[in-house]
Amino acid sequence: MDYFPFFMRLRGQRVLLVGGGDIATRKARLLAKAGAKLHVVSLAIESELEALVARTEGSLRLGEFVDTDLDGVVLAVAATDDAGVNQRISEQAQARHLPVNVVDSPELCTVITPAIVDRSPLVIAISSGGEAPVLARRVRSKLEQMLPASYGRLAGLASRFRQAVKDKFGDGDQRRRFWEKVLEGPIAEQVYAGNEAEAESMLANELASETGQTGGEVYLVGGGPGDPELLTLKALRLMQQAEVVLYDRLVSSEVMELVRRDADRIYVGKRRSEHSLPQPEINQLLLNLAKQGKRVLRLKGGDPFIFGRGGEEIELLAANGIPFQVVPGITAASGCAAYAGIPLTHRDHAQSVRFITGHLKNNDPNLSWPELAMPGQTLVFYMGLMGLEEIAQMLLKNGRSPLTPVALIEKGTTREQRVIVGNLQTITAKVEEFAAKGPTLIIVGEVVSLRGHLDWFGDRDRQNVN
């Protein structure tokens, strides 16, 4: 992030605008709308800009920019067609530690003007850091279509009750929950319908009857294999509601970026033979937080009910009467296979697919290997990197063809995805050669041979090793 986004209060403040043409006028419109007093310096000035100066009770000086024009201003804006003048304004403003914006010259700016969606008092700013302003405007256009004008009236209603809600609820979480109920329920619908008086009456009644006493709840959410675009809509909604998040190492940083910013985050990740928090303690922590009235998000990589131990976690919650929701996620098998161009089933190659944990208890291959070695099926081993050699040897020992294709997918669905392909005889050596690291997924079966034809990502974005 090259620029830290913030909103600057300009009402009644003096702002320097150097330039008198069309671009300067467009800037002046926004500054005037924010209540700034315009101090315009230019050799010539358009009539609309001159009117804006008068309307804002600002000042106008016809002439060249001089350093003293920066006296008493809180912001400097350069909108001339003279690169030398623009640079001098930038240098002089920065020397005084004044924020400065130079139109179409992000390298000279300390602040930039975003594309704006105005639903005052709700204002949305979109910025590309000056690198792609047309894209920022396209995003603004899409948001303009999505957000009705009544959002501004809804924000105004919330503003009028803000202090009353703050007085009633001393706890920030209680206030947040109250406002979420208001802004997502029938009160908001009355505003959208134009019935603001009715909405205000309903909000007053809701506030008078609200006790602020709410019970805790747990959301058990599958975060998918890594690509944030694979999250479900329900997962995104609950990720934005939760006050506390317990997450593991398989949840990608891109997915974590979508969690509510002010939520408390607790890492409970696990590696082979290394648990930051043992499973029974995770279960108890979920229970304790819910009993405190918290909305708790248990965010897991993949799907919580496929080798995710989600059943153990909700078992304790159910026994203690804690409400919970379970949101499935795209499991690693389907996500990673799809991104690697490997169909898990195919009429000519595999009529069934089996999901198997690759964690071999005490290094003991206690699986039904004769069944797994049968042809006509696809085997997907989760967490099998450390046991890869043993897996290959046991399948060979029980009759699976040495030429059976095998793919190991590393960091599947992410930009760091690698696919290492071999067969039961060669895959172990190939994986060692390319020093694969977790998280990984292993796919065994004839369907792997199809990936050359069906790899829709190819070498453009992800690395393939054959």
Side-chain angles (χ1 to χ4, degrees), residues 249 385 408-411 418 420 431 434-441:
R249 76 180 186 93
L385 179 61
L408 182 138
I409 305 170
E410 176 186 66
K411 299 181 180 178
R418 282 200 305 172
I420 302 173
V431 168
F434 291 102
K437 298 178 181 178
T440 61
L441 190 85

Side-chain angles (χ1 to χ4, degrees), residues 422-444:
N423 56 46
L424 286 176
Q425 281 187 320
T426 65
I427 190 63
T428 301
K430 280 196 170 187
V431 168
E432 289 178 355
E433 177 187 354
F434 291 102
K437 298 178 181 178
T440 61
L441 190 85
I442 300 165
I443 301 178
V444 180

Side-chain angles (χ1 to χ4, degrees), residues 11 38 68 89 96 133 137 164 175 203 208-209 277 279 297 377 412 435 444:
R11 187 160 301 280
L38 297 174
T68 54
I89 295 168
R96 294 178 179 225
R137 288 196 292 271
R175 290 196 296 271
L203 179 49
S209 61
L277 205 64
Q279 187 63 50
L297 171 67
Q377 61 179 332
V444 180

